[in-house]
Amino acid sequence: MNVRFLEVARRELPDVVLMDLVMPGMDGITATRQLKAQGLCARVIALTAHAMRADVERAHEAGFDGYITKPFMLPTLVQDIKECLERASRNGHGPQHNNPNATGEF
């Protein structure tokens, strides 16, 4: 994770970002805080091996919209992402499409 990712996110305006908590250069908590501070409206979902309650709480406080732990199976991952997005929508956080070409489908 570096400044290049932040530049790409500003340019591409993703609807969803899957963010690991442990990455070289910048951890996912810091990266998410920076994305949110820049006004990016993407849903940020943690996709991480860290499953401790304190990790989940830190991610929530940093602005993550969901939390998925590794290991995972692809069908379960897709369902978990859908549920995270639905929860965010019910809580008044969506749906939001940053990208005018977005279809809203996976």
Side-chain angles (χ1 to χ4, degrees):
M1 174 62 62
N2 56 33
V3 175
R4 175 140 166 69
F5 169 77
L6 298 173
E7 292 170 0
V8 170
R10 279 194 304 267
R11 183 180 68 241
E12 298 297 326
L13 301 173
D15 288 320
V16 177
V17 174
L18 298 178
M19 181 81 70
D20 202 337
L21 297 185
V22 179
M23 300 177 295
M26 182 186 300
D27 66 84
I29 298 287
T30 302
T32 297
R33 284 187 176 134
Q34 288 188 15
L35 287 173
K36 299 288 183 164
Q38 293 176 5
L40 185 72
C41 296
R43 302 289 172 246
V44 182
I45 300 173
L47 184 60
T48 182
H50 292 268
M52 301 297 291
R53 182 177 199 84
D55 297 317
V56 176
E57 290 171 1
R58 278 187 35 224
H60 178 72
E61 291 168 2
F64 281 80
D65 298 289
Y67 201 92
I68 299 170
T69 56
K70 298 176 190 175
F72 58 85
M73 298 196 47
L74 186 56
T76 304
L77 174 65
V78 171
Q79 184 60 38
D80 287 346
I81 292 169
K82 286 180 181 180
E83 289 173 7
C84 286
L85 295 175
E86 288 170 3
R87 240 186 342 271
S89 181
R90 283 193 307 270
N91 293 331
H93 300 289
Q96 296 181 12
H97 292 291
N98 295 302
N99 185 336
N101 299 318
T103 64
E105 299 176 9
F106 291 120

